[in-house]
Amino acid sequence: MTTPRQPRPVPRRDVLRYGTAAAAGAAAAPVAAGTAAARARRPARRRVAVLGAGVGGLTAAHELAERGFDVTVYERRTVPGGKARSLYVPHSGTGGRRDLPGEHGHRGVFGFYHNLPDTLRRIPHPGGGTVFDHLTAVHWIELARTGSRLDIPLPVRPLLPALSDPLRLVDSVAGLLQQALRLPPQEAAFFARRAVILFTSCTGRRFGQWEYVGWWDYIQAGRMSTDYQRLLGGGVQLLQALRPANASARTCGQGLEAILYDLLGRGSDGPADRIFDAPTSEAWLEPWAAHLRALGVRFVHGCTVEGLELRSGRITGARARTARGGTARIDADWFVAALPSDRVVRLWDGALRRADPRLAAMDRLQQTWCNGIQYYLRAPAPAVRGHIVHVDSPWKLISIHQSKLWRAGFARTWGDGQVQECVSVDVSDWDTPGILYGRPARECTRAEVAREVWEQMKAHLNDTAGRPVLADTQLHSWYLDEAIAETGHGLANDDPYLLNHTGSWDLRPDAATAVPNLFLAADYVRTYANVDFTSMETANEAGRRAAAAVLAAAGADGARAVPTFRGYEAPEFAAARLVDRDRWRHGLPHLLDA
């Protein structure tokens, strides 16, 4: 079987060519750009510089290139994809096999995603079909526990709660929580009522009240059992952006509602939980970059954008540092900033902050750490073929034996022939002391992080009689996200993750800024069509909204507008939301909260 090729850096000659061209005032080097005659026929003021090759930037480039714009993507790394990209263990492949693959984190594509799947369907795959065809369903989620607590295997399959009215839904959700999570009846009923209040709140209350109430306080976790706190108040963190200890009730409620409708099969775009059937870059990002090049998009890698020039109310150029350490200028008619929130704010100088105060508000956005580590096993582990939530782990681990779901045989495709399986783990809490060294992950070395995570997983999976799931003799090697680096004062992270916290909606800008030729395309951008918490779905929607804003500013033909796809809303609750809208306008609490 032929497997996709491993991502390769852009040739050094292309980087050098960029430095020469940019110094002469050109927009970029002509890398896979199509003929000069074709570019000359394009309308004037159609040059777009996309700053950043993450999911948001690539989405904006895709939509604009399809509509005839002359697009160049500038990226500091040698491969596209941002946080979604695969990582590879250097020099680990022998005998014609590829280097061992890793991930920044597991790449879940959930059924309530709609914008991202639409893009995946439009990317041809070299093996035939589209990238969307290389998603595979995950049928199980296991809530693993330590000690005498029983593990909770949850099949990912349609549920049958009643949606006919809010009170019946409260009963249905309470019953599901009792049965699935084994919560005490009174706690299950209380949580179900709080959840249904969110589902039936009007838009005004969601953004005017619940955005400013923390999830932990909203569900009153402080007075509940330990299991309630861990299962509903912070331990189960399948969606990385929904960190209950920091997030608002609106954000967590939105995620909970999307998951519920997904499990009901309401408005879903396929199975509730899916991953790619190969490393993310091979299954998706490399075919995507190839398709964009075929559309005429140019990529300039090894280019770090360091500033924007604002003159007469418009961006006239960008300053960048090249891979060789020199400086260059980026010229374009339209600029799409698709850098992460922690990096893009470094571009906002005093003039830009005065031109659009919403950019200055971004200083108060928060970031957190959520990074991946992979363990390579000499023998397959007898673990569930799905996501495993290590509920009692202090570092909030979620793992998946992802190679069980990949098409290609692992040993014959990657590594040295000894590795039979790859376990991918997300580490979401870097601030709580661990069980092995008694220190937070931030204060450990990379090797200590690897040993600590391994022991926390063993504590969850090996606490029952019989054959252990993970044995030390199985472990061939490990690979921690390359963004995590050792310093003299603990660890540093080159790829922090945007944290959705209470009130953060007020700090997030729209895709169109007050500067008429500057647009934003990343997961911090306000999104309205589906979900708005940090995810590949929101980055994709933000890229679509940035592209649509460029089209509008350029006066392009509206017949080829960029679509966004709305999330599902249960019609059974329309009347309840109208009632709540009236109560909200009169300063009254939600009817179920009275």
Side-chain angles (χ1 to χ4, degrees), residues 283-506:
W284 170 27
L285 296 173
E286 282 297 299
W288 198 7
H291 179 57
L292 295 183
R293 290 188 180 99
L295 292 174
V297 175
R298 297 181 293 280
F299 284 85
V300 178
H301 291 276
C303 173
T304 302
V305 180
E306 296 184 327
L308 298 172
E309 300 172 359
L310 180 68
R311 295 180 184 173
S312 302
R314 295 179 66 88
I315 303 298
T316 56
R319 302 184 305 278
R321 187 176 69 253
T322 68
R324 299 173 64 186
T327 59
R329 175 185 172 84
I330 298 171
D331 290 312
D333 302 308
W334 316 100
F335 291 81
V336 177
L339 304 175
S341 60
D342 62 303
R343 290 184 175 276
V344 79
V345 293
R346 304 174 197 174
L347 306 183
W348 309 151
D349 60 12
L352 274 170
R353 291 165 183 264
R354 289 189 295 273
D356 190 341
R358 295 176 303 172
L359 302 180
M362 289 179 59
D363 289 340
R364 289 180 284 151
L365 288 173
Q366 299 176 16
Q367 288 79 34
T368 187
W369 290 19
C370 185
N371 298 70
I373 182 170
Q374 279 70 45
Y375 294 91
Y376 305 104
L377 308 183
R378 293 187 175 92
V384 66
R385 290 168 56 91
H387 291 108
I388 301 174
V389 182
H390 302 262
V391 175
D392 302 306
S393 60
W395 289 4
K396 299 295 186 292
L397 307 180
I398 298 178
S399 66
I400 184 168
H401 294 242
Q402 58 188 14
S403 55
K404 292 181 183 291
L405 298 161
W406 288 355
R407 289 189 182 186
F410 199 93
R412 70 172 184 269
T413 308
W414 297 281
D416 59 5
Q418 299 182 44
V419 179
Q420 300 289 323
E421 187 166 280
C422 173
V423 183
S424 182
V425 190
D426 278 346
V427 183
S428 295
D429 188 332
W430 293 72
D431 301 303
T432 300
I435 65 173
L436 186 61
Y437 298 103
R439 299 196 304 274
R442 289 176 186 260
E443 298 178 11
C444 294
T445 65
R446 286 173 58 89
E448 287 172 343
V449 168
R451 288 192 287 269
E452 176 78 53
V453 171
W454 181 253
E455 291 301 319
Q456 290 186 29
M457 287 199 298
K458 286 168 55 180
H460 284 77
L461 301 179
N462 294 356
D463 59 352
T464 58
R467 179 185 174 191
V469 173
L470 297 178
D472 292 344
T473 54
Q474 289 175 282
L475 185 58
H476 174 280
S477 55
W478 54 268
Y479 188 64
L480 178 61
D481 189 341
E482 61 193 29
I484 302 297
E486 295 182 8
T487 71
H489 307 282
L491 297 176
N493 190 348
D494 191 49
D495 263 332
Y497 196 86
L498 177 67
L499 179 64
N500 293 80
H501 58 88
T502 51
S504 60
W505 178 261
D506 297 340

Side-chain angles (χ1 to χ4, degrees), residues 157-214:
R157 63 189 183 199
L159 303 175
L160 297 173
L163 285 185
S164 56
D165 64 72
L167 291 178
R168 288 192 65 188
L169 182 60
V170 169
D171 293 338
S172 295
V173 172
L176 286 170
L177 292 174
Q178 285 180 247
Q179 180 181 11
L181 302 187
R182 303 168 188 154
L183 289 176
Q186 67 275 15
E187 292 187 353
F190 178 82
F191 180 86
R193 189 179 186 88
R194 300 304 289 172
V196 174
I197 288 172
L198 292 173
F199 298 169
T200 55
S201 288
C202 67
T203 301
R205 189 181 302 281
R206 292 187 183 200
F207 286 89
Q209 181 178 1
W210 305 136
E211 171 65 17
Y212 306 101
V213 177

Side-chain angles (χ1 to χ4, degrees), residues 241-314:
L242 299 187
R243 187 157 299 184
N246 305 90
S248 69
R250 181 192 71 82
T251 300
C252 287
Q254 182 189 57
L256 185 64
E257 185 177 21
I259 292 171
L260 175 62
Y261 292 150
D262 212 2
L263 293 175
L264 287 170
R266 295 281 193 101
S268 297
D269 190 315
D273 189 3
R274 295 162 290 184
I275 67 169
F276 289 103
D277 64 5
T280 306
S281 287
E282 296 181 20
W284 170 27
L285 296 173
E286 282 297 299
W288 198 7
H291 179 57
L292 295 183
R293 290 188 180 99
L295 292 174
V297 175
R298 297 181 293 280
F299 284 85
V300 178
H301 291 276
C303 173
T304 302
V305 180
E306 296 184 327
L308 298 172
E309 300 172 359
L310 180 68
R311 295 180 184 173
S312 302
R314 295 179 66 88

Side-chain angles (χ1 to χ4, degrees), residues 98-132:
R98 295 181 174 85
D99 286 344
L100 289 169
E103 305 283 343
H104 183 79
H106 62 256
R107 300 267 71 84
V109 178
F110 300 100
F112 58 82
Y113 287 6
H114 292 279
N115 294 287
L116 181 63
D118 175 72
T119 297
L120 300 181
R121 288 186 176 97
R122 291 155 48 204
I123 304 170
H125 195 277
T130 69
V131 165
F132 182 85

